Amino acid sequence: MEDVKVLLKEASDLKAKGNYMESFTILRRVLQLSFKLVLSRLDVDAPYDSTLSLYHLIPIELRPPIGERELEDFESKYMLSLSSDPPDPRSLEAGLEIAERVIHWADSIIKKKESLEPQGFGRL
């Protein structure tokens, strides 16, 4: 999880330097890695690199406080930025906020899972 937090910091630093595209790309990776870490703790195979596909693999009751619509909007702005001008700084700021919320959620799920394991509970 610490590696993901380092990536988030890197994305924030790149945004501050005006390197929006690279920052956006790293934010997308942060979301994917956070979802994959949680899925791995839940013993769910995560063969996808699509943020939305990974999100849909997470059991509904454990999903992050991010709506599917927010993720779709993030993905569409990311894809648009690949084929046109650099991303809008406001979109990037929204992406940073989403990534922070997802990291906080993933961290809490992982800690909860770890706290249950010593008691003999294998799954949440």
Side-chain angles (χ1 to χ4, degrees), residues 4-99:
V4 177
K5 291 177 183 177
V6 168
L7 283 174
L8 179 62
K9 171 83 171 96
E10 184 179 342
S12 181
D13 292 347
L14 287 167
K15 177 190 170 277
K17 293 177 184 175
N19 192 340
Y20 298 143
M21 189 58 228
E22 193 171 344
S23 180
F24 224 125
T25 301
I26 291 172
L27 285 177
R28 187 169 185 253
R29 189 73 185 136
V30 164
L31 294 175
Q32 292 168 346
L33 288 173
S34 296
F35 290 156
K36 284 185 176 191
L37 282 169
V38 168
L39 289 165
S40 140
R41 296 294 175 139
L42 298 173
D43 297 322
V44 175
D45 187 33
Y48 308 111
D49 281 332
S50 160
T51 306
L52 286 169
S53 295
L54 292 168
Y55 175 84
H56 287 129
L57 288 174
I58 299 166
I60 292 171
E61 66 277 5
L62 297 176
R63 286 189 183 158
I66 306 297
E68 184 174 345
R69 184 74 187 119
E70 277 183 284
L71 287 175
E72 287 172 348
D73 188 50
F74 175 84
E75 281 292 309
S76 69
K77 287 178 179 166
Y78 171 77
M79 296 308 259
L80 182 64
S81 72
L82 292 177
S83 61
S84 65
D85 296 327
D88 176 358
R90 291 180 309 233
S91 297
L92 190 52
E93 192 61 42
L96 280 166
E97 192 228 316
I98 288 170

Side-chain angles (χ1 to χ4, degrees), residues 108-122:
S108 70
I109 292 287
I110 289 167
K111 285 177 182 169
K112 181 187 265 185
K113 174 76 170 154
E114 288 171 351
S115 74
L116 292 175
E117 284 176 350
Q119 299 171 18
F121 297 100

